[in-house]
Amino acid sequence: EVKISAPDLCGRFSGRVIRGVNPKAKTPQWMVDKLARCGQRSVTALVDISNYVMFEFGRPTHIFDLDKIHGAMDVRWGREGETLKLLNGNTVTLDAKVGVIADEQGVESLAGIMGGDSTAVGDDTSAVYVEAAFWWPDAVAGRARRYNFSTDAGHRFERGVDPSLTVAHIEHITRMIVDICGTADTQIGPMTDQQPAMPQRLPVTLRVARAEKIIGMPLGQARVVAALKACGFVLSEAEGTVTITPPAHRFDLNIEEDLIEEVARIVGFDNLPLASPVAPLVASPANPATRRTREARRDLHAVRRQLAELGYAETLNFSFVPEAWERDCCANARPVKLLNPMSSEMAVMRSSLLGSLLDVLKHNLDRKAHAVRVCELARVFMRDATAKAGELAVNGVSQPMKVAGLIYGPAQGVSWRQAARFADFFDAKADVEALLAPQKISFEAAEHPAMHPGRCAAVRDAAGAVIGFVGELHPRLKQQLELPQAPVMWELDAAAVQQRHMPATASTPKFPMAERDLAFVLDQAVTHAQLQDAVRSADLGELAGCLRDVLLFDVYRPKAAASAAPTDMAATEKSCAIRLSFQSEEATLTDAQLDAAVGAVVAKVGAELAGRLRG
């Protein structure tokens, strides 16, 4: 006895008991060969018959060991906490979103996906229950992927199987079981067939004029009718329209566009006319206000071209990543999870591009690549309560565009002129500066989950906002990925990279440039950025606006041993030598003016950084 408690799960259920079968019968060689050509290995005669009919008619069926079924069966939705050991050996935990076939003692099968181990046929099987059902596609779709596997049955049922032929298919299986596994004691029980919710196929109307517009060529009603008849559809005609009732097995025919696709397929895509698109070409800036403010945004194609000039190869990666990546590379405990992931390795949406670039690096190193320089421009996905739904947006999820790069291997190609040098933090920093130039940016020591805690910097724009990070890979991730060397990486907000200051002309100074070198003794904790800020903020008096460049060209730190340190420097100090470049557009600079400007710089560094000139 079978009870269907969930008509929204099962629309039709047919079955039959067959007793006195020989489970040890040998599968005919012709069936073994045909199954092998379908990519299916032979198991036992009963299992092979079920698989053969699935490939033959496109309908999965299942054969239960009758003696292992306890009482009546119930077709229903699962219950929280129920478990089932499947035929593949996996034990899964069920819930109310998964359909099951259960008996009086527990769950026996995942509806439309895979049978349970407890009712599997074996060498001691003497009676079987043959089942063929129609499972609603929406009730099966994605259920197998929740448990990280896929089956031929689930693949077919989630796309729709003809509900009208369950009885015919069971009759066919019965005949094959009797022919192959039958004995003198074989008894065939009556057929049971329940139809609580058969699908009702509604007529679909196709407008000939609409089909001609979508396909892009004149067809005429006669040609449209001929194409639909070639698909085997029963149709009715009216002036300018054709109406069909989709066959029971065609779950993909629901709207007018589905029929237009069928017509285009029969007419032949290679017969469609070639026509260039007609669209107006209007040149205009992205924002008309940029003409007044001289601020502009370059498009991402320009960013890609610059990255290519810097030696990067662009990669395209999935936005779906393993949940472990979000934890290891982003410290993201609440990533955006997919409701229907393709696999466990693509379970969440990435909030950073760095994990994908590391995967590309690993892929290339496993294939003996010795130098890798890759980048990616793509969206990332993060939870944001302020994000609102839109045409391409979802409530609660922000989707900013990011640009990221990774460098591994020699900084330059192999050459006899110089020894090979492994790319380091400063190579990545130089690329970031080139990408953001001529914007005024700054770098400050920071921490990032994917980067070395002592070799990582945050990138700030002129307003002081953090627009990205640059640094060396964290030792923990380097060990986890089994990398011989640590790559350097960077990631920036694409919006910040797209910012561009419109170029403006300026006259070339006619007067010579003057340079002065200074060596300051500073505390080891003073950064280069602090020194630059102090020098550039000095009051230069008559030479205000004439300081063109401040170049750091030497850094000296005393040895650890106190006896080795110079008498004018402590072990906690360092010497930074800088070159100041002055140039005026109005006159040649005098020594008095330069001495006054240098004095102002020395005073400013002394006041702000407690620095002094080195003797």
Side-chain angles (χ1 to χ4, degrees):
E1 183 180 350
V2 178
K3 174 186 177 184
I4 301 179
S5 300
D8 55 338
L9 166 66
C10 178
R12 184 175 186 179
F13 194 96
S14 306
R16 162 179 281 165
V17 172
I18 305 176
R19 301 182 184 273
V21 299
N22 176 17
K24 298 181 181 180
K26 185 177 180 180
T27 304
Q29 188 60 43
W30 62 266
M31 182 178 290
V32 173
D33 294 340
K34 288 191 175 183
L35 287 174
R37 286 194 286 271
C38 292
Q40 181 72 47
R41 66 181 180 86
S42 175
V43 183
T44 65
L46 290 171
V47 175
D48 290 347
I49 291 170
S50 179
N51 287 334
Y52 178 80
V53 172
M54 177 184 68
F55 290 119
E56 186 178 19
F57 293 112
R59 170 182 297 286
T61 58
H62 189 62
I63 300 178
F64 295 85
D65 187 325
L66 182 65
D67 296 329
K68 297 178 182 178
I69 299 175
H70 306 286
M73 290 200 298
D74 187 9
V75 179
R76 59 174 172 81
W77 293 104
R79 296 166 184 159
E80 293 289 342
E82 287 184 322
T83 60
L84 172 64
K85 184 178 181 182
L86 299 170
L87 289 174
N88 61 7
N90 295 345
T91 299
V92 297
T93 301
L94 310 176
D95 57 32
K97 296 182 179 179
V98 180
V100 300
I101 301 175
D103 62 16
E104 294 176 357
Q105 292 190 5
V107 178
E108 302 292 355
S109 175
L110 274 186
I113 298 174
M114 184 180 289
D117 181 70
S118 62
T119 55
V121 295
D123 291 343
D124 57 347
T125 298
S126 60
V128 296
Y129 179 74
V130 183
E131 163 263 313
F134 166 70
W135 307 101
W136 288 99
D138 290 344
V140 178
R143 269 57 174 188
R145 288 190 290 276
R146 292 180 56 187
Y147 302 111
N148 300 323
F149 66 85
S150 62
T151 64
D152 289 320
H155 180 84
R156 286 162 172 78
F157 278 124
E158 66 185 8
R159 286 160 175 78
V161 173
D162 190 347
S164 65
L165 299 176
T166 57
V167 171
H169 288 173
I170 289 182
E171 294 287 6
H172 184 58
I173 290 179
T174 302
R175 183 166 55 252
M176 300 188 79
I177 290 176
V178 172
D179 291 344
I180 298 172
C181 303
T183 67
D185 299 326
T186 298
Q187 296 179 329
I188 301 173
M191 181 78 67
T192 60
D193 181 31
Q194 300 182 62
Q195 303 181 27
M198 291 288 283
Q200 300 298 319
R201 307 312 310 274
L202 300 176
V204 181
T205 298
L206 168 66
R207 294 167 292 175
V208 175
R210 175 68 175 169
E212 292 178 337
K213 181 177 180 180
I214 295 296
I215 297 175
M217 64 182 293
L219 293 170
Q221 184 151 340
R223 195 171 184 183
V224 171
V225 169
L228 294 176
K229 284 184 176 179
C231 295
F233 300 152
V234 177
L235 48 86
S236 60
E237 295 184 58
E239 183 63 32
T241 64
V242 181
T243 302
I244 75 157
T245 299
H249 63 284
R250 293 298 300 270
F251 285 84
D252 58 327
L253 301 178
N254 297 295
I255 58 177
E256 183 180 27
E257 283 72 13
D258 297 332
L259 295 185
I260 295 175
E261 183 180 1
E262 294 297 304
V263 172
R265 183 171 61 85
I266 297 300
V267 169
F269 293 113
D270 55 333
N271 293 324
L272 301 185
L274 299 177
S276 299
V278 179
L281 296 178
V282 180
S284 62
N287 181 1
T290 58
R291 293 178 175 176
R292 298 189 300 272
T293 63
R294 292 178 49 235
E295 292 292 334
R297 287 174 60 85
R298 56 176 175 170
D299 64 20
L300 290 177
H301 292 295
V303 177
R304 290 184 171 96
R305 286 193 292 271
Q306 185 174 3
L307 287 169
E309 293 169 358
L310 292 172
Y312 289 88
E314 185 180 0
T315 64
L316 299 175
N317 301 294
F318 282 115
S319 295
F320 319 130
V321 298
E323 192 168 356
W325 282 17
E326 284 296 294
R327 182 178 61 252
D328 295 339
C329 295
C330 311
N332 185 3
R334 294 182 64 247
V336 178
K337 294 186 177 181
L338 296 177
L339 296 177
N340 187 19
M342 292 186 287
S343 70
S344 59
E345 296 301 307
M346 297 183 175
V348 301
M349 303 296 289
R350 61 182 176 178
S351 62
S352 170
L353 305 180
L354 297 179
S356 299
L357 294 182
L358 288 172
D359 188 51
V360 171
L361 170 65
K362 181 65 174 169
H363 179 87
N364 281 272
L365 293 183
D366 289 345
R367 285 152 183 80
K368 308 302 180 183
H370 66 280
V372 177
R373 186 180 283 250
V374 292
C375 67
E376 184 174 8
L377 289 87
R379 294 194 181 278
V380 297
F381 305 85
M382 297 174 287
R383 295 188 182 277
D384 182 0
T386 63
K388 302 299 182 183
E391 184 178 354
L392 297 175
V394 179
N395 259 331
V397 178
S398 63
Q399 306 177 41
M401 184 72 74
K402 296 277 187 177
V403 54
L406 179 147
I407 312 174
Y408 178 93
Q412 294 89 22
V414 178
S415 171
W416 58 270
R417 299 180 60 189
Q418 57 187 3
R421 178 179 65 82
F422 202 84
D424 59 16
F425 171 88
F426 297 100
D427 293 295
K429 178 174 177 283
D431 289 342
V432 170
E433 290 177 325
L435 200 59
L436 292 168
Q439 296 184 57
K440 182 181 179 181
I441 59 172
S442 60
F443 298 84
E444 67 175 33
E447 291 188 1
H448 187 282
M451 297 181 183
H452 194 298
R455 300 171 187 173
C456 170
V459 184
R460 293 185 179 273
D461 60 13
V466 175
I467 59 174
F469 290 87
V470 56
E472 185 179 295
L473 182 65
H474 198 290
R476 168 177 49 82
L477 295 176
K478 172 179 172 290
Q479 181 179 13
Q480 180 178 320
L481 295 171
E482 299 179 348
L483 300 178
Q485 298 285 344
V488 286
M489 312 177 295
W490 52 267
E491 184 174 38
L492 303 169
D493 294 333
V497 178
Q498 289 181 274
Q499 293 294 329
R500 259 301 176 262
H501 194 73
M502 298 294 287
T505 59
S507 60
T508 302
K510 297 181 293 184
F511 303 100
M513 183 175 290
E515 296 178 340
R516 293 291 185 271
D517 292 348
L518 301 174
F520 287 104
V521 177
L522 302 165
D523 188 85
Q524 295 268 17
V526 175
T527 66
H528 175 238
Q530 290 175 314
L531 178 59
Q532 285 272 353
D533 291 342
V535 172
R536 293 183 181 277
S537 63
D539 183 6
L540 302 182
E542 293 183 39
L543 300 191
C546 296
L547 181 61
R548 302 301 183 198
D549 190 24
V550 181
L551 174 66
L552 175 71
F553 64 88
D554 183 63
V555 177
Y556 171 77
R557 292 181 175 86
K559 302 292 184 181
S563 59
T567 55
D568 63 337
M569 290 181 64
T572 59
E573 294 180 321
K574 63 182 177 182
S575 170
C576 294
I578 60 174
R579 177 165 296 160
L580 308 180
S581 300
F582 297 93
Q583 189 175 34
S584 172
E585 297 180 359
E586 299 175 353
T588 301
L589 302 179
T590 65
D591 287 341
Q593 290 173 320
L594 292 171
D595 290 342
V598 168
V601 169
V602 172
K604 185 68 172 181
V605 172
E608 283 198 3
L609 305 177
R612 65 183 187 278
L613 287 177
R614 184 177 175 186

